[in-house]
Amino acid sequence: MAGEDFVRKRQPGSTMTCRTSENEEMQRRPEGERSLPSASNGRVDVDHVITRKMQLIAEAEQLKPAFMKEVDSHFTEFVNSLVAKSALLDSSSSLFPDPCSEKDLHKAKTLRAPPEHGKIFTARRSLLDELFEVSHIRTIYHMFIALLIVFILSTLLVDFIDEGRLVLGFDLLVFVFGKLPVVFCTWLCMFSAAVVVPYGLFSRWAQGYSSSSHRVIHSIFYGTLFTLFQTVGLGLGSTYVAIAYALPPASRFIVILEQVRLVMKAHSFVRENVPKVLSSVKEKAGPVPVPRITQYLYFLFAPTLIYRDSYPRNPTIRWGYVATKFAQVLGSLFYAYYIFVRLCIPQFRNSSQETFNLRGLVLCIFNSILPGVLILFLVFFAFLHCWLNAFAEMLRFADRMFYKDWWNSTSYANYYRTWNVVVHDWLYYYAYRDFLWFFGKKFKAAAMLSVFTVSAAVHEYVLIICFGFFYPVLFCLFMCFGMVFNFILNDRRKGPIWNVIMWTSLFLGQGVIICLYSQEWYARQYCPLENPTFLDYLKPRSWSCHVQM
């Protein structure tokens, strides 16, 4: 009984002590935790917790853009500085110059500086591979797959209604990729010649240059042989096969694009190794540096147009990744097939029967924008992303920056630099910078004009051979609108409105290309000439085909 009385007397004081400690604990808690009221039964008010949680989420969303912008700017500065330091490490002679006299320094300053160090290769993933890890971006990819399914269903249903059965033939694909054995034999001959001739000529020149008493004549002789091989062997030979064997369009594209690729690679190999030989002979630094044939062979298959003796390599090959990329290339081909079948062929099949007028041309251009833009996306995705990444993975080639974020461009100058980084690098280092090195840095406008001219001429040459007619629509767009937009929509344009303007002009350009080339293709089919003259090949047939009909 005494114990019970003692316990009853101690309970109020104990309770007060507990409450005091609880109050002190509440004072020590953060404000967010103290503000959670309790219900009468001791449970936390659920509505207040949800409200507080929503407030925290809203505050986080407000801070996220500024945080991401700050992280992006710091990360970009870090990467740029890292690449710059790597470039400086390559030029050790400039970092740690040898002691020399003032006379030598003055002489070095008066001489024209050679071209800077070229492209620096580093291990990095393709941008789309990184973006596809974000669920929001991956959903856009799924939307394009859904659109392909809609095209397939539309074609199957229309054919079933018209024919009373499912028509599963792919006549268009069979036609455009016809005569593949001829294509393979032509490619094999081109590739074998591109392996043997440039490497053999360079090796003979390099080994005989140091001991030759007439080095200029020696260099001119081998340079002439190399130029003849580039123009006649790779150039005229494959072009003759494409025309003489009447290869269909897609087969011609394979031959001509491989021709251009091998010409550019052979030029890069010689251009990168000749200065090494000249420097070695001048400094008498032992044997002449001639790359191994295996290094040159790897370069011919590697997804780059800039030669290096070695590239950053990945440790393993992901064959599942390779299979996925080739499957996506195949899917893109079928995607393009359904685009032409559903959106292009019905529109242009009977266009030659209509009178050529401004209204019809405007309607044709705007109706061609959708298929033109889809074809643009497919070419980018299938070739620049899937095809190049597949070969890069098989070769363990680690530098996957084949393109940049061209879709964010606010200027055409940035678009040209980021759309196709592989070709842009070749034009920049071997056309633009070599032009400035040869003529001087005062002629930057002339150098840019020459690069535009070369690029436009090569693009138009490919289309002339592949389509079988001369209709310089792309050349005019390049040299007229492309040059004008390059100066008007320059790098000083940064606002979102300039990105809208860039996309609008790109859409219109794709509509013009699809419309005019498709009209000319069908006009050539429906209005053939029995004895065409040279001027008949130059004059667009679509302008007068309706008269002959």
Side-chain angles (χ1 to χ4, degrees):
M1 292 296 292
E4 292 179 4
D5 293 339
F6 177 77
V7 171
R8 281 196 294 268
K9 291 178 181 178
R10 292 285 299 170
Q11 279 181 347
S14 176
T15 304
M16 291 298 296
T17 304
C18 292
R19 288 178 180 175
T20 303
S21 62
E22 288 178 4
N23 292 335
E24 293 176 355
E25 181 68 21
M26 288 294 293
Q27 292 295 329
R28 288 196 297 266
R29 289 182 184 178
E31 182 182 354
E33 296 182 11
R34 294 201 311 265
S35 60
L36 298 179
S38 300
S40 58
N41 57 2
R43 295 182 180 178
V44 177
D45 190 347
V46 177
D47 293 337
H48 186 83
V49 171
I50 296 175
T51 303
R52 184 58 181 166
K53 183 178 180 181
M54 296 303 295
Q55 290 176 354
L56 292 174
I57 293 175
E59 293 174 3
E61 288 294 331
Q62 291 176 358
L63 292 175
K64 185 165 66 174
F67 174 76
M68 294 300 295
K69 185 177 180 179
E70 191 72 17
V71 170
D72 180 69
S73 63
H74 284 293
F75 181 75
T76 303
E77 291 176 3
F78 171 74
V79 172
N80 290 338
S81 64
L82 190 63
V83 172
K85 290 177 183 177
S86 301
L88 290 175
L89 288 175
D90 288 342
S91 55
S92 57
S93 59
S94 61
L95 284 175
F96 308 102
D98 297 329
C100 56
S101 63
E102 294 182 3
K103 182 179 179 181
D104 293 333
L105 287 173
H106 178 73
K107 182 179 179 182
K109 290 179 181 178
T110 57
L111 291 175
R112 177 180 294 163
E116 310 168 21
H117 289 277
K119 178 181 175 67
I120 299 174
F121 291 88
T122 182
R124 47 194 166 187
R125 300 171 63 193
S126 287
L127 186 55
L128 281 187
D129 282 340
E130 296 178 347
L131 290 178
F132 282 155
E133 293 180 356
V134 180
S135 60
H136 304 291
I137 304 299
R138 195 163 57 246
T139 300
I140 299 176
Y141 171 70
H142 296 161
M143 291 166 62
F144 276 93
I145 296 178
L147 185 59
L148 173 60
I149 295 174
V150 170
F151 277 132
I152 295 174
L153 291 177
S154 173
T155 304
L156 292 178
L157 290 176
V158 170
D159 290 341
F160 182 80
I161 294 173
D162 293 342
E163 304 291 336
R165 60 185 179 86
L166 291 177
V167 180
L168 299 177
F170 297 96
D171 297 337
L172 181 61
L173 284 178
V174 173
F175 164 70
V176 297
F177 285 99
K179 301 183 179 180
L180 285 181
V182 177
V183 174
F184 177 75
C185 292
T186 305
W187 175 84
L188 190 60
C189 293
M190 284 194 304
F191 186 80
S192 301
V195 172
V196 175
V197 177
Y199 186 82
L201 290 176
F202 173 78
S203 300
R204 297 288 294 273
W205 170 82
Q207 293 169 358
Y209 180 78
S210 59
S211 60
S212 176
S213 58
H214 303 283
R215 292 178 177 176
V216 176
I217 298 176
H218 179 82
S219 299
I220 292 176
F221 174 73
Y222 280 97
T224 303
L225 291 180
F226 177 72
T227 304
L228 287 175
F229 168 74
Q230 293 277 77
T231 55
V232 178
L234 285 179
L236 296 179
S238 52
T239 302
Y240 171 79
V241 171
I243 296 175
Y245 284 86
L247 297 180
S251 299
R252 290 192 182 191
F253 267 108
I254 296 174
V255 172
I256 300 302
L257 291 179
E258 275 296 289
Q259 172 204 81
V260 174
R261 185 183 73 92
L262 293 175
V263 167
M264 297 171 76
K265 279 183 174 282
H267 177 85
S268 176
F269 174 75
V270 174
R271 172 63 183 80
E272 293 290 340
N273 286 286
V274 165
K276 298 178 183 178
V277 174
L278 297 178
S279 176
S280 175
V281 172
K282 183 179 179 180
E283 298 174 0
K284 298 180 181 180
V288 177
V290 177
R292 299 189 305 273
I293 186 66
T294 54
Q295 293 174 318
Y296 178 55
L297 192 62
Y298 179 88
F299 167 63
L300 289 180
F301 283 104
T304 179
L305 297 175
I306 307 295
Y307 175 80
R308 294 289 182 270
D309 291 334
S310 62
Y311 300 92
R313 306 280 291 274
N314 289 332
T316 58
I317 301 175
R318 298 171 296 170
W319 290 108
Y321 180 87
V322 175
T324 300
K325 294 306 166 188
F326 280 128
Q328 289 174 335
V329 171
L330 186 62
S332 299
L333 287 178
F334 282 99
Y335 210 138
Y337 164 79
Y338 283 109
I339 289 173
F340 279 105
V341 168
R342 301 307 305 165
L343 299 179
C344 293
I345 293 178
Q347 177 182 351
F348 297 107
R349 178 178 291 162
N350 300 321
S351 61
S352 298
Q353 300 178 6
E354 301 175 359
T355 304
F356 185 84
N357 56 73
L358 182 60
R359 180 180 180 276
L361 178 63
V362 171
L363 289 177
C364 174
I365 291 175
F366 280 93
N367 290 334
S368 302
I369 288 177
L370 177 59
V373 171
L374 291 176
I375 294 297
L376 176 72
F377 290 158
L378 287 175
V379 170
F380 161 72
F381 180 74
F383 178 71
L384 291 176
H385 179 69
C386 298
W387 186 264
L388 295 184
N389 268 294
F391 274 88
E393 187 67 30
M394 289 189 294
L395 296 171
R396 297 191 291 116
F397 187 84
D399 194 340
R400 310 290 177 87
M401 195 182 69
F402 309 126
Y403 54 89
K404 298 179 183 177
D405 56 338
W406 57 270
W407 48 86
N408 291 328
S409 299
T410 56
S411 67
Y412 265 86
N414 186 67
Y415 170 75
Y416 293 142
R417 290 193 298 265
T418 56
W419 158 256
N420 188 342
V421 174
V422 179
V423 173
H424 171 266
D425 287 341
W426 193 95
L427 290 173
Y428 176 71
Y429 290 112
Y430 304 138
Y432 180 77
R433 278 207 336 202
D434 281 359
F435 187 98
L436 294 180
W437 176 69
F438 190 80
F439 292 102
K441 294 185 177 181
K442 297 182 296 183
F443 299 95
K444 289 187 177 182
M448 186 180 297
L449 180 62
S450 66
V451 171
F452 265 92
T453 304
V454 169
S455 180
V458 172
H459 279 80
E460 192 59 41
Y461 159 75
V462 171
L463 293 183
I464 289 173
I465 302 302
C466 296
F467 290 151
F469 55 79
F470 176 77
Y471 199 19
V473 176
L474 189 61
F475 184 84
C476 294
L477 290 176
F478 252 100
M479 295 305 298
C480 297
F481 296 99
M483 283 291 294
V484 171
F485 286 150
N486 184 65
F487 289 103
I488 295 178
L489 298 180
N490 51 43
D491 289 329
R492 290 192 297 268
R493 316 298 185 184
K494 297 296 184 181
I497 185 62
W498 298 106
N499 182 251
V500 175
I501 294 174
M502 194 277 295
W503 273 109
T504 304
S505 58
L506 198 62
F507 285 174
L508 291 174
Q510 290 302 119
V512 170
I513 291 172
I514 293 293
C515 172
L516 296 185
Y517 279 111
S518 297
Q519 285 185 343
E520 186 67 17
W521 170 268
Y522 278 103
R524 299 271 172 169
Q525 305 300 316
Y526 292 151
C527 305
L529 299 179
E530 296 181 359
N531 297 311
T533 62
F534 179 74
L535 291 178
D536 290 330
Y537 286 108
L538 301 181
K539 181 181 178 182
R541 198 78 53 84
S542 57
W543 295 2
S544 58
C545 182
H546 63 278
V547 177
Q548 299 179 15
M549 296 278 298

